[in-house]
Every structure is written in structure tokens, then in C-alpha cells.
């Protein structure tokens, strides 16, 4: 559970990135306790970014190259070199000591798998028809991709 003194958000420009690829994320921080949102300004020294693996182990911690101006900012981050699911956590400290926290997930993979099925609910005897597309780092379908499937 994350508890914040003000609304904080981090949103990446894509859900999947290639290993080592640089991607960007938008950061927003606003105090929503009054009638109108009040932007939070923060120097880069008051913002901490942490990259976690899927088990929530902190891998790296750092400061962004710039802070928040009028509640908004953009950062660029290198994706980890290894494929996997990672969480990016952000801590923003306002000048008066209040803090805002947020996080988002990103998948690092050179390949993407999209699966579409013919029904949303199946009876035990129903056959499943699936349309599976594997795309490579360029976004083009991978010809002759090998698929291994298990039914349970």
C-alpha cells in the first residue's frame, strides 16, 4: 500500500520495451485537497526513482535529470538489460516535507506475444481456437515462430 500526501502519477509511453532501450515516462504531482488542483514543484534532488524486479527487490535507485515544473515532468530511463517484468517507483518530496508516491510496471522483452481466442467462456468439452501473433523488436510478425502450448 502506498500512502501519499498529494496525488502523484508516473506513466510510461509504452508497456513493453526492448532490453537496454531508452523509454520515457511522464510524472505528475498535484495537491487535490482544495477546490482546485495545485501543482507540486520539486527539484530533481527531491525526486527519487527506484527500479524493482517482479519480486519487489530494489535493483537501482537514482535521481531524474530534471524536476517537476507546475506539477509536470518527463524523464527518460534505460530499460534493464534482462527480459522481465519491472516496477518503476517514484517518490516526490515537496518543499514543505509532504511526500507523494506512485509506481507503474513495464515489461522488458525483445518479443511480444498476442493471443486472441474465439470465446470468453468455455465448457469442459469445448475446443479452443486461438490466433497467436509473435512480433519481434521491430514490431513485425516473426515468421515460423515455435509455439508450445499446455492445456490444464
Amino acid at each position: 500500500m502506498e500512502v501519499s500526501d498529494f496525488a502523484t502519477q508516473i506513466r510510461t509511453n509504452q508497456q513493453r520495451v526492448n532490453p537496454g532501450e531508452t523509454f520515457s515516462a511522464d510524472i505528475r504531482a498535484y495537491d487535490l485537497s482544495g477546490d482546485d488542483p495545485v501543482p507540486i514543484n520539486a527539484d530533481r534532488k527531491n525526486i527519487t526513482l527506484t527500479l524493482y524486479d517482479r519480486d519487489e527487490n530494489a535493483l537501482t535507485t537514482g535521481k531524474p535529470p530534471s524536476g517537476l515544473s507546475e506539477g509536470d515532468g518527463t524523464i527518460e530511463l534505460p530499460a534493464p538489460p534482462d527480459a522481465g517484468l519491472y516496477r518503476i517507483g517514484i517518490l516526490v518530496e515537496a518543499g514543505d516535507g509532504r511526500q507523494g508516491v506512485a509506481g507503474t510496471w513495464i515489461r522488458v522483452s525483445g518479443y511480444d506475444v498476442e493471443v486472441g481466442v474465439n470465446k470468453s467462456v468455455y465448457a469442459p468439452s469445448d475446443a479452443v481456437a486461438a490466433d497467436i501473433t509473435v512480433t519481434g523488436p521491430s514490431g513485425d510478425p516473426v515468421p515460423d515462430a515455435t509455439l508450445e502450448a499446455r492445456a490444464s
Side-chain angles (χ1 to χ4, degrees), residues 12-25:
T12 61
N13 62 346
Q14 53 200 91
Q15 293 181 346
R16 181 193 64 82
V17 295
N18 295 320
E21 180 179 65
T22 299
F23 65 96
S24 64

Side-chain angles (χ1 to χ4, degrees), residues 9 21 24 46 49-50 53 59 62 70 92 98 103 117 133 146:
Q9 178 189 44
E21 180 179 65
S24 64
N46 293 334
L49 297 166
T50 305
D53 65 16
L59 302 176
E70 294 300 312
V92 178
R98 295 178 303 145
V117 293
T133 304
T146 301

